[in-house]
Amino acid sequence: MEQLPNFLNQRAFLTPNRLALVFDNQRWSFMEMYRTVETLAQKIATLGIQAKDSVAILLTNRPHTVFIIHALQQLGVSAVFLNHRLTAKEMVFQLKDSGTRLLISEDAFKEKMNGIKGLFHELPMTTIVEIDHLETKKVPLVNEFVLDEVCSIMYTSGTTGNPKGVLQSYGNHWWSAVGSALNLGLTEKDGWLCAVPLFHISGLSILMRSVIYGMPVYLYEEFNEKTINQVLQAGEVTIMSVVSTMLIRMIDDLGDKRYHSNFRCMLLGGGPAPKPLLDACLEKNIPVFQSYGMTETSSQIVTLAPEDSIVKLGSAGKPLFPSQLKIMNNQMQLLPNQPGEIVVKGPNVTKGYLNRDEANKKNFKDGWFYTGDIGYVDEDGYLFVMDRRSDLIISGGENIYPAEIEEVLLSHSSVKEAGVVGIEHTQWGQVPYAFVVVSELVDEANLINYCKDKLAKFKIPHHIYIVNELPRNASNKLLRRKLHELMPKG
Amino acid sequence: MEQLPNFLNQRAFLTPNRLALVFDNQRWSFMEMYRTVETLAQKIATLGIQAKDSVAILLTNRPHTVFIIHALQQLGVSAVFLNHRLTAKEMVFQLKDSGTRLLISEDAFKEKMNGIKGLFHELPMTTIVEIDHLETKKVPLVNEFVLDEVCSIMYTSGTTGNPKGVLQSYGNHWWSAVGSALNLGLTEKDGWLCAVPLFHISGLSILMRSVIYGMPVYLYEEFNEKTINQVLQAGEVTIMSVVSTMLIRMIDDLGDKRYHSNFRCMLLGGGPAPKPLLDACLEKNIPVFQSYGMTETSSQIVTLAPEDSIVKLGSAGKPLFPSQLKIMNNQMQLLPNQPGEIVVKGPNVTKGYLNRDEANKKNFKDGWFYTGDIGYVDEDGYLFVMDRRSDLIISGGENIYPAEIEEVLLSHSSVKEAGVVGIEHTQWGQVPYAFVVVSELVDEANLINYCKDKLAKFKIPHHIYIVNELPRNASNKLLRRKLHELMPKG
């Protein structure tokens, strides 16, 4: 099996009049969406963009972003998804690494575009308004999606070094959508609410499911618990993707009200839900499906059904049907209840990172992907995730890698050693705290300021403590998990 | 994407307690089914059967057949599905052609087994009772299904020559199940009634969907409209596969009663439904999904939703999402409303016939399968099937190929020419009638008798007319469609 019909094209052919997209009071059918996308693709083609080129997008959660994403697929182009919370410098790394030939952005990000231009002036840039003014060029659009070809590239960081571009193929997206449907079911009534960023796999995967299932996406530019709660009471939306931070705010706002009985799945990513949150959902009849996944697995790969959420408290569930998992340590598969590295396999798992031979060799073995995350499975096969890889900090659904922040701090002339760890936070789940050993006197404000043009805002440590030494093991490896013991009491 | 987890094994792991199979008053969960199947596989292994061997089954629609089918999959064996209505001679052809190493049957077919033994005494045979008495042998069962490997072989005839073994891979079955779910949807409540033969793709595909979806099969040994109507009124069954003959009998019996509101899909194969049947279904709120498919497409590849059944009267619908179709004539793709050969493509389509290089070369080009059926698509892309390939006769859901009957008639010493055609029949939809030119006087009873040990009962012509000449075109090709004009009037 090497190719499938072009997803949007086939969908518009099979069910032209079905609802595809809802934003504010605007609605598009699949045929209307296809026509818009086709024109957009023919305009982008006038910029000399061809199949297999990489084109980056820096766009908000609005309909034009959906159309641009599909237009790039019609041209056979790989889309590089820029997180708009990154600094210009961080973006330029990704643009260069991915060999991007064009950046498509919008007026909302004018300042960020200027920042990028300052650092990477050769890169052609355009905006959605400029594209709209272009003529069209009759070019052949993609007839079939080759499942092995790269559809999207999203950057993710690891233990050390620069962020890595995860290659997500058409096949990865297809299988992710199919695995999810086999688990959650699929009905004509379904509509999926997307208030998570389209530049994350959590958002993009909703768009892909939409065309594969023939299901509308209810798109929101911003997450606002009051608006969303009203929508979930109305009955058009049946599924929503959230992270804990969002769900906590929704439940606080919901009060005595209840969601419509059509609402059948709150798909919760970004780590297991705390017990009080689950209890509140149970009390309010909210069907929470906890899940485990990452950019490399093209969204969820392990999901826990609501009926198991209390008996298997803290578990992320079992794999989707096409996927498998095992727990490894020193090249040995571990028995139930023994913690080790979580290793996964499945057609939704990326074939590898762009230009990262070493990381690919390290993380992919015999068709299995070594996640770097630590966990165990119980005797019934339910996964319990203990530590996200490389002491990953998840803050409001965003992944933060301690190593990336440490590297910035270490580049400051006064910093000799640095360690970063996630500390519990009521609103965001976790936020980064830093601990540094310095060679000369420097104050916290100075260090935080130093981070500001180098790191996205959500990555900047909430506190930077100056300490005498960092906890290390015998081989001098930093023990990040012990860092919190250095915090001043009280 | 080359392999997936062993379907039954993964299903039993993911949802061990879900209902898998219902027969009479017996019920099996997926875990219970897996344990039974595992033991069976370990017993069959003692007979020296290994991965990649072909094993034929001649079995009724009973639970042990389901278990045997899955047990063969656990061993990596290709199963050859024998239609038990065939004669011993017809079966022996298939057994030899497929290189079958073992025939598994049951006491109900003792006579047939003796017939086979008489013609092919080297073939090892066993029965399910004998297998039950075997010891078990600890053998490694298949861990992953390689999607390209042959899961099942079913024989189908063509225009001329011997029946051909259609190679159905694990991937074919997988994609067929996924394409169907994306079209019909999938809910926790679903249960599929199987009163069609398990040795047909219509029956086997229900078993495959069951393990892939985690959905129970309600299995029936015989089709009885009264029993089935009661079951569909009870609410446990949501989907049923039928051919027109069955549906007509069900509607006659139903009277003023209605099916349970849970019942959501009557999947109708074997040609478009006649208008009066559709009207009756409409009046009785029966959601009929007409469909087009064949052994080579591992069940339906084109399906018509109930909401379109009246506006698109007589259409078989649009392709399933992973599949495509086009209409060809003389290597040119035809425009809408122009009739030509129906050509299909998709991951549910067989890679080819066993040992039939020539047929494979003729029927498979550039990844497309030339069905031999004639039809057109309208301007909206809906398929209308005009003639099943090679004047295929569909009688009570069984395919009958005129050429096969003609060949038998021609082997009779008095028959010079023979032509067979399907004639409308109230109960069976169609039945075969034959027309022969003879060299010496012979009576109809003699000819019919001559067919009896050579052809399955349903293939024996209801009438054989002796005529002076057969209708032929300029190049002397038999015009089967004109045969009915030779029928005596009144």
Side-chain angles (χ1 to χ4, degrees):
Chain A
M1 189 43 227
E2 282 158 22
Q3 61 262 335
L4 283 176
N6 174 323
F7 300 162
L8 176 61
N9 195 348
Q10 176 83 336
R11 179 47 65 196
F13 163 60
L14 294 180
T15 57
N17 302 319
R18 264 201 219 166
L19 186 60
L21 180 63
V22 178
F23 183 82
D24 279 351
N25 293 318
Q26 296 163 278
R27 283 166 183 252
W28 290 262
S29 70
F30 281 103
M31 186 49 84
E32 288 164 344
M33 184 151 100
Y34 181 73
R35 296 229 169 91
T36 305
V37 165
E38 190 182 25
T39 307
L40 258 183
Q42 291 173 339
K43 289 177 171 186
I44 294 171
T46 64
L47 300 172
I49 293 302
Q50 292 179 331
K52 314 247 174 179
D53 282 348
S54 291
V55 171
I57 57 175
L58 172 58
L59 296 167
T60 53
N61 259 34
R62 294 177 63 87
H64 60 242
T65 306
V66 177
F67 304 146
I68 290 277
I69 290 170
H70 285 302
L72 296 177
Q73 295 182 11
Q74 304 309 307
L75 292 167
V77 158
S78 304
V80 180
F81 286 73
L82 294 179
N83 179 335
H84 48 66
R85 303 167 76 179
L86 300 184
T87 64
K89 199 177 160 200
E90 289 171 316
M91 288 183 191
V92 166
F93 171 81
Q94 300 185 9
L95 292 165
K96 290 190 170 168
D97 184 67
S98 58
T100 286
R101 299 232 12 230
L102 174 71
L103 170 64
I104 301 177
S105 187
E106 59 183 277
D107 291 346
F109 300 120
K110 215 155 204 170
E111 213 175 306
K112 205 74 80 165
M113 287 173 80
N114 284 333
I116 294 170
K117 198 168 267 317
L119 295 163
F120 188 16
H121 63 91
E122 313 90 299
L123 181 73
M125 284 186 203
T126 188
T127 66
I128 46 150
V129 174
E130 288 170 5
I131 291 175
D132 254 352
H133 285 99
L134 294 172
E135 297 294 301
T136 59
K137 178 181 170 186
K138 285 265 171 227
V139 288
L141 301 180
V142 170
N143 200 26
E144 295 183 333
F145 286 164
V146 177
L147 295 189
D148 255 356
E149 277 183 8
V150 177
C151 170
S152 48
I153 301 173
M154 292 186 180
Y155 278 79
T156 174
S157 298
T159 327
T160 51
N162 289 314
K164 301 189 285 283
V166 178
L167 303 170
Q168 295 163 339
S169 68
Y170 288 97
N172 291 154
H173 290 303
W174 169 269
W175 285 95
S176 168
V178 167
S180 180
L182 289 177
N183 185 43
L184 301 180
L186 183 61
T187 85
E188 277 185 327
K189 274 199 284 189
D190 280 334
W192 204 304
L193 194 149
C194 177
V196 288
L198 290 173
F199 59 73
H200 272 182
I201 186 59
S202 56
L204 175 61
S205 63
I206 298 173
L207 295 195
M208 302 307 285
R209 289 182 203 117
S210 164
V211 289
I212 293 169
Y213 301 169
M215 170 191 75
V217 174
Y218 294 80
L219 183 67
Y220 288 83
E221 186 167 5
E222 303 277 342
F223 170 74
N224 176 303
E225 59 271 32
K226 284 192 202 323
T227 314
I228 305 289
N229 274 342
Q230 280 166 14
V231 172
L232 299 194
Q233 287 164 54
E236 268 199 311
V237 165
T238 63
I239 310 182
M240 176 181 181
S241 301
V242 291
V243 295
S244 298
T245 332
M246 294 162 75
L247 189 51
I248 290 168
R249 282 165 57 184
M250 288 166 71
I251 283 177
D252 281 352
D253 173 74
L254 190 61
D256 292 335
K257 301 208 181 79
R258 293 293 173 270
Y259 295 144
H260 195 283
S261 61
N262 282 352
F263 184 74
R264 65 183 188 85
C265 169
M266 186 72 85
L267 187 62
L268 175 64
K275 176 91 164 46
L277 178 57
L278 285 180
D279 286 340
C281 288
L282 202 66
E283 192 236 312
K284 289 175 201 292
N285 277 327
I286 304 174
V288 178
F289 290 74
Q290 296 172 79
S291 70
Y292 166 73
M294 61 211 82
T295 311
E296 287 91 335
T297 59
S298 313
S299 90
Q300 32 151 358
I301 186 164
V302 175
T303 303
L304 186 70
E307 60 264 33
D308 296 330
S309 66
I310 294 299
V311 253
K312 294 292 180 183
L313 188 75
S315 168
K318 289 182 180 176
L320 298 183
F321 194 92
S323 304
Q324 302 172 67
L325 75 83
K326 58 184 182 182
I327 305 295
M328 296 289 287
N329 191 29
N330 283 331
Q331 296 165 23
M332 293 260 297
Q333 185 170 348
L334 299 182
L335 295 173
N337 298 313
Q338 298 182 335
E341 184 170 9
I342 301 168
V343 179
V344 297
K345 179 176 184 176
N348 56 320
V349 177
T350 179
K351 286 273 188 299
Y353 303 109
L354 181 66
N355 310 325
R356 292 289 189 285
D357 287 348
E358 205 174 320
N360 289 339
K361 235 177 265 171
K362 185 172 156 255
N363 291 296
F364 298 87
K365 286 169 206 157
D366 304 323
W368 290 84
F369 169 58
Y370 285 69
T371 65
D373 293 338
I374 305 299
Y376 65 91
V377 290
D378 70 7
E379 51 292 329
D380 299 321
Y382 287 81
L383 174 69
F384 290 78
V385 182
M386 297 167 69
D387 263 312
R388 291 305 296 257
R389 64 183 133 172
S390 23
D391 309 295
L392 178 67
I393 302 165
I394 304 183
S395 184
E398 292 280 2
N399 288 353
I400 304 176
Y401 296 87
E404 206 181 343
I405 304 174
E406 290 160 7
E407 214 162 302
V408 168
L409 288 168
L410 288 167
S411 70
H412 187 285
S413 57
S414 316
V415 174
K416 276 168 55 186
E417 293 179 36
V420 170
V421 72
I423 299 290
E424 303 302 309
H425 188 273
T426 336
Q427 192 183 355
W428 302 114
Q430 288 185 304
V431 292
Y433 275 45
F435 299 83
V436 292
V437 178
V438 293
S439 55
E440 57 185 337
L441 209 61
V442 55
D443 73 2
E444 184 182 358
N446 172 312
L447 288 175
I448 286 180
N449 211 39
Y450 177 77
C451 292
K452 278 191 180 156
D453 73 317
K454 295 175 191 69
L455 288 170
K457 201 172 161 202
F458 64 90
K459 297 181 191 168
I460 295 171
H462 282 221
H463 280 293
I464 302 181
Y465 296 108
I466 295 168
V467 294
N468 291 332
E469 61 172 349
L470 295 179
R472 294 187 181 273
N473 68 8
S475 43
N476 218 26
K477 190 168 175 286
L478 178 65
L479 295 172
R480 290 201 185 91
R481 267 169 273 167
K482 294 209 160 183
L483 283 170
H484 69 271
E485 293 171 10
L486 300 181
M487 283 203 4
K489 305 294 172 223
Chain B
M1 187 43 227
E2 284 157 23
Q3 61 262 331
L4 283 175
N6 174 324
F7 300 163
L8 175 61
N9 194 347
Q10 176 81 336
R11 178 48 65 198
F13 163 59
L14 293 180
T15 57
N17 301 320
R18 265 201 219 164
L19 187 59
L21 180 63
V22 178
F23 182 83
D24 281 349
N25 292 318
Q26 295 164 278
R27 286 168 180 252
W28 289 262
S29 70
F30 281 103
M31 186 48 84
E32 288 164 343
M33 183 151 99
Y34 180 73
R35 295 229 170 93
T36 305
V37 165
E38 190 183 26
T39 307
L40 259 183
Q42 291 172 340
K43 289 177 171 185
I44 294 171
T46 63
L47 300 172
I49 293 301
Q50 292 180 331
K52 314 249 177 179
D53 282 348
S54 290
V55 171
I57 57 175
L58 172 58
L59 296 167
T60 53
N61 258 34
R62 295 177 62 87
H64 60 243
T65 307
V66 177
F67 304 146
I68 290 276
I69 291 170
H70 285 303
L72 295 177
Q73 295 183 11
Q74 304 310 307
L75 292 168
V77 158
S78 304
V80 180
F81 285 74
L82 294 179
N83 180 333
H84 49 65
R85 302 168 76 180
L86 300 184
T87 63
K89 201 180 159 198
E90 290 171 315
M91 289 183 190
V92 165
F93 173 82
Q94 299 185 9
L95 292 166
K96 289 189 172 169
D97 185 67
S98 58
T100 287
R101 298 229 16 225
L102 173 72
L103 170 63
I104 301 176
S105 187
E106 58 184 277
D107 292 343
F109 300 120
K110 215 156 204 169
E111 212 174 310
K112 204 76 81 169
M113 287 174 80
N114 285 333
I116 295 170
K117 198 168 269 315
L119 296 163
F120 188 17
H121 63 90
E122 314 90 301
L123 181 72
M125 285 187 202
T126 186
T127 66
I128 46 149
V129 174
E130 287 170 5
I131 291 176
D132 254 353
H133 285 98
L134 294 172
E135 298 294 300
T136 60
K137 178 180 170 186
K138 285 267 171 226
V139 288
L141 301 180
V142 170
N143 200 24
E144 295 183 333
F145 285 164
V146 177
L147 294 190
D148 256 354
E149 278 183 6
V150 177
C151 170
S152 48
I153 300 173
M154 291 186 181
Y155 279 79
T156 174
S157 297
T159 326
T160 51
N162 289 314
K164 303 190 284 284
V166 178
L167 302 170
Q168 296 164 339
S169 67
Y170 288 96
N172 291 153
H173 291 302
W174 169 268
W175 286 94
S176 168
V178 166
S180 180
L182 289 176
N183 185 43
L184 300 180
L186 184 61
T187 83
E188 277 185 326
K189 273 198 283 190
D190 280 334
W192 204 304
L193 194 150
C194 177
V196 289
L198 290 174
F199 59 73
H200 272 183
I201 186 59
S202 56
L204 176 61
S205 63
I206 299 173
L207 295 196
M208 301 307 285
R209 290 183 201 113
S210 164
V211 289
I212 293 169
Y213 301 170
M215 171 190 76
V217 175
Y218 294 79
L219 184 67
Y220 287 84
E221 185 167 4
E222 303 279 340
F223 170 73
N224 176 304
E225 58 272 31
K226 285 192 201 320
T227 314
I228 305 288
N229 274 343
Q230 280 167 13
V231 172
L232 299 193
Q233 287 166 54
E236 268 199 311
V237 164
T238 64
I239 309 182
M240 176 180 180
S241 301
V242 291
V243 295
S244 298
T245 332
M246 294 163 74
L247 189 52
I248 291 168
R249 283 164 58 184
M250 288 166 71
I251 284 177
D252 282 352
D253 172 75
L254 190 61
D256 291 336
K257 302 209 180 80
R258 293 295 172 266
Y259 295 145
H260 195 281
S261 61
N262 282 354
F263 184 74
R264 65 184 189 84
C265 170
M266 186 72 85
L267 187 63
L268 175 64
K275 175 93 163 42
L277 179 57
L278 285 179
D279 286 340
C281 289
L282 203 65
E283 192 237 311
K284 290 176 200 291
N285 276 327
I286 304 174
V288 178
F289 290 73
Q290 293 171 81
S291 70
Y292 167 73
M294 60 211 83
T295 312
E296 287 90 336
T297 60
S298 314
S299 89
Q300 32 152 1
I301 185 164
V302 175
T303 304
L304 186 71
E307 60 265 34
D308 294 332
S309 67
I310 294 298
V311 257
K312 294 291 181 186
L313 188 73
S315 168
K318 288 182 180 177
L320 298 183
F321 194 92
S323 303
Q324 302 173 66
L325 75 85
K326 59 185 182 182
I327 305 295
M328 297 290 287
N329 190 28
N330 283 332
Q331 295 166 25
M332 295 258 299
Q333 186 171 348
L334 299 182
L335 295 173
N337 297 314
Q338 298 181 335
E341 184 171 8
I342 301 169
V343 179
V344 299
K345 180 177 181 175
N348 54 321
V349 177
T350 179
K351 286 273 187 301
Y353 303 109
L354 182 66
N355 310 325
R356 292 289 187 285
D357 286 349
E358 206 175 317
N360 289 338
K361 237 179 260 169
K362 185 174 157 252
N363 291 296
F364 298 87
K365 288 170 203 156
D366 304 323
W368 291 84
F369 169 58
Y370 285 68
T371 65
D373 294 337
I374 305 299
Y376 64 91
V377 290
D378 71 6
E379 49 295 326
D380 300 321
Y382 287 81
L383 175 68
F384 290 78
V385 182
M386 297 166 68
D387 263 313
R388 290 305 296 259
R389 63 182 133 171
S390 21
D391 310 295
L392 179 66
I393 302 164
I394 305 184
S395 185
E398 291 281 0
N399 288 352
I400 304 178
Y401 296 88
E404 206 182 341
I405 304 174
E406 289 160 7
E407 214 162 303
V408 169
L409 288 168
L410 286 169
S411 70
H412 187 284
S413 58
S414 316
V415 174
K416 276 169 58 186
E417 292 180 38
V420 171
V421 72
I423 300 290
E424 304 302 308
H425 188 275
T426 336
Q427 190 184 355
W428 303 114
Q430 287 185 305
V431 292
Y433 275 45
F435 300 83
V436 292
V437 178
V438 293
S439 55
E440 56 183 340
L441 207 65
V442 58
D443 72 2
E444 185 182 357
N446 173 313
L447 289 175
I448 287 181
N449 211 36
Y450 178 75
C451 292
K452 279 188 179 156
D453 72 316
K454 297 177 188 68
L455 288 171
K457 201 171 162 203
F458 63 92
K459 297 180 191 169
I460 295 172
H462 281 221
H463 280 292
I464 303 181
Y465 295 108
I466 295 170
V467 294
N468 290 330
E469 61 172 348
L470 295 180
R472 297 189 178 271
N473 68 8
S475 42
N476 218 26
K477 191 170 175 284
L478 178 65
L479 295 172
R480 291 202 185 89
R481 267 169 273 168
K482 294 209 161 184
L483 284 171
H484 69 272
E485 294 171 11
L486 300 181
M487 283 205 0
K489 306 293 173 224

